[in-house]
Amino acid sequence: MLAFAAGLIISGNLGDLVGHKRVFLLGVGLFGLASLGAGLSASGAELIAARVVQGAAAAAMTPQVLATFRAIFAAGERGKAFGIYGAMLGFASAVGLVLGGVLTEANLFGWSWRSVFFVNVPVAACTLIAGLRLVPETKDPAARRPNLPAAALLASSLVAIVYPLLEGRQLGWPAWVWLLLGAGVAGLATVGVLEQRRQGRSAAPLLRPGLFRIPAFAAGLGVQLAFAAGMQGFFLAFALWLQAGEQFSPLKAGLTAVAFSVGSFIGAPVAVPLAQRYGRRILAVGAAGMVAGILGVALAAPHVGLDGSPWPIVPGLAVAGAGLALLVVPLVNVVLAAVPVEVAGGASGLFSTAQQLGGALGVALLGTVFFGYADGHSLQAALVHTAPYAMGAFALCGILSMLLPRTAVSEEAVTES
């Protein structure tokens, strides 16, 4: 997630400059090779290194898909294209949970968990062939070269912030951890200052500092960060509790998590229309739903039992999933109501970066809480102890939502930007 967050903005600029298809195919090939490396890894360090490369490769791919859609579809077709794309993302996320469990439990050729990486290799190969033959090359004739020094500083600053949070508890919070954390924050501030001074020059902007002076945009970015932190952090603890604590098989754990996706499917189709009618209040309702859902999971966790029935936690997962749809699906639509049209694309890109960075921070912070409490308690107790922190993140989303515009722009306006 950290490599993904650090690479998203620069790869989007690079695709505009040298061609979206070219950067996309490069990312696909690199992702396939990194997946092979992850499957063959012989140590934790090798696996982590392969995952970093996977994140960077995913960052190269993702912006090119949306940019290509904008180029190859006429204005009247973009809404349908983006709608199909969003539906496929949601469907794939739900199916992936189950298939990951199926592959791991099947233990094909004795590969166990390595199967979830090896399966990416033929998928990447097929995608390369299809991309070469079917996807047209597109680029932005007015694109400016990426600001590589600022991008390198941005990436290293993000690492300097998240790494101490990941490792600090285990190392006993030595002084260098706090120094590195401060250096990361200072690095982000430096990137903002440099970007402000370079406005109007030849290099493409990375952070667009002017956007942060728009209160609604800053609040929306805060919502995205807090949501991703609570979501990724809690579900790390949730997955570990199910499999290591309650001895659920990977398949059973994946099927249990599908309840969350079902709630999202139910809420997603109505989220944007409701936001266009009721505005920011729908996002606040979604945040409250996530708080209630996580609370339900925490209260029901003691009733699951060792390899027992997951049904006690299913209602909470479904409610949290529906809350996610109401909070996140219309978020960009609401924020863009306060953002100038000419910078809407850059604003959307920053939201994607905030989502990945928030996820990395959530894993670091809530993971520290979970593992710290698990040292002297059961994993169930650690999950219940961690849940209020995730609930606090979602409650913060609800509070920040009230700083957003009262209304949302239409889907057509979002896809036009």
Side-chain angles (χ1 to χ4, degrees):
M1 284 186 294
L2 187 55
F4 196 1
L8 269 174
I9 297 177
I10 192 68
S11 63
N13 291 338
L14 194 62
D16 291 340
L17 184 67
V18 304
H20 302 122
K21 175 180 177 177
R22 184 175 301 174
V23 177
F24 173 76
L25 294 179
L26 176 65
V28 171
L30 188 61
F31 190 86
L33 291 174
S35 297
L36 179 62
L40 296 173
S41 59
S43 68
E46 291 179 9
L47 178 58
I48 291 170
R51 292 290 285 165
V52 169
V53 178
Q54 276 189 313
M61 288 187 281
T62 303
Q64 318 315 327
V65 177
L66 301 179
T68 300
F69 281 179
R70 289 191 180 96
I72 66 176
F73 290 110
E77 298 175 313
R78 287 179 194 155
K80 294 180 181 178
F82 278 80
I84 295 172
Y85 175 73
M88 289 300 294
L89 280 180
F91 177 73
S93 298
V95 171
L97 287 171
V98 179
L99 289 184
V102 170
L103 285 170
T104 304
E105 201 162 313
N107 196 25
L108 298 172
F109 310 110
W111 288 344
S112 183
W113 58 267
R114 299 176 188 270
S115 300
V116 301
F117 294 111
F118 288 142
V119 74
N120 291 335
V121 178
V123 171
C126 292
T127 304
L128 277 174
I129 295 170
L132 283 168
R133 299 186 61 177
L134 301 175
V135 178
E137 181 62 279
T138 59
K139 62 176 67 175
D140 183 358
R144 292 178 284 173
R145 61 177 176 80
N147 188 348
L148 294 179
L153 180 57
L154 174 62
S156 57
S157 298
L158 296 180
V159 173
I161 290 172
V162 176
Y163 181 76
L165 297 175
L166 282 169
E167 300 294 334
R169 182 191 62 85
Q170 184 176 344
L171 298 174
W173 302 105
W176 68 263
V177 164
W178 301 105
L179 292 174
L180 188 60
L181 188 63
V185 174
L188 286 182
T190 302
V191 172
V193 172
L194 292 176
E195 288 280 283
Q196 187 69 40
R197 290 180 178 178
R198 292 181 65 89
Q199 280 188 351
R201 299 188 184 182
S202 58
L206 281 176
L207 297 181
R208 303 177 185 268
L211 285 172
F212 292 91
R213 290 194 289 268
I214 302 174
F217 176 81
L221 208 64
V223 171
Q224 188 77 301
L225 272 167
F227 157 76
M231 174 82 173
Q232 297 290 352
F234 179 78
F235 274 92
L236 168 69
F238 179 75
L240 289 170
W241 165 66
L242 279 183
Q243 294 186 71
E246 303 304 311
Q247 301 299 308
F248 277 32
S249 69
L251 177 58
K252 187 175 180 180
L255 288 170
T256 301
V258 167
F260 183 83
S261 298
V262 170
S264 298
F265 282 139
I266 294 173
V270 300
V272 172
L274 285 174
Q276 288 178 250
R277 184 172 182 180
Y278 299 106
R280 62 193 181 193
R281 286 175 290 177
I282 293 301
L283 276 68
V285 169
M290 294 205 72
V291 171
I294 299 302
L295 176 62
V297 171
L299 292 175
H303 302 286
V304 172
L306 195 66
D307 195 23
S309 170
W311 285 108
I313 59 175
V314 165
L317 288 172
V319 170
L324 175 145
L326 295 178
L327 172 64
V328 177
V329 171
L331 177 60
V332 173
N333 300 60
V334 174
V335 173
L336 289 187
V339 173
V341 174
E342 62 270 16
V343 295
S348 299
L350 285 172
F351 265 70
S352 298
T353 301
Q355 181 178 359
Q356 300 305 322
L357 175 59
L361 288 171
V363 167
L365 294 172
L366 271 70
T368 296
V369 172
F370 177 79
F371 288 114
Y373 200 77
D375 281 345
H377 303 82
S378 67
L379 291 182
Q380 176 192 297
L383 176 76
V384 174
H385 179 75
T386 305
Y389 292 88
M391 293 161 59
F394 300 136
L396 178 61
C397 292
I399 295 170
L400 291 175
S401 295
M402 300 314 294
L403 301 176
L404 299 177
R406 294 181 179 273
T407 58
V409 299
S410 66
E411 281 291 272
E412 290 74 14
V414 174
T415 56
E416 276 295 303
S417 64

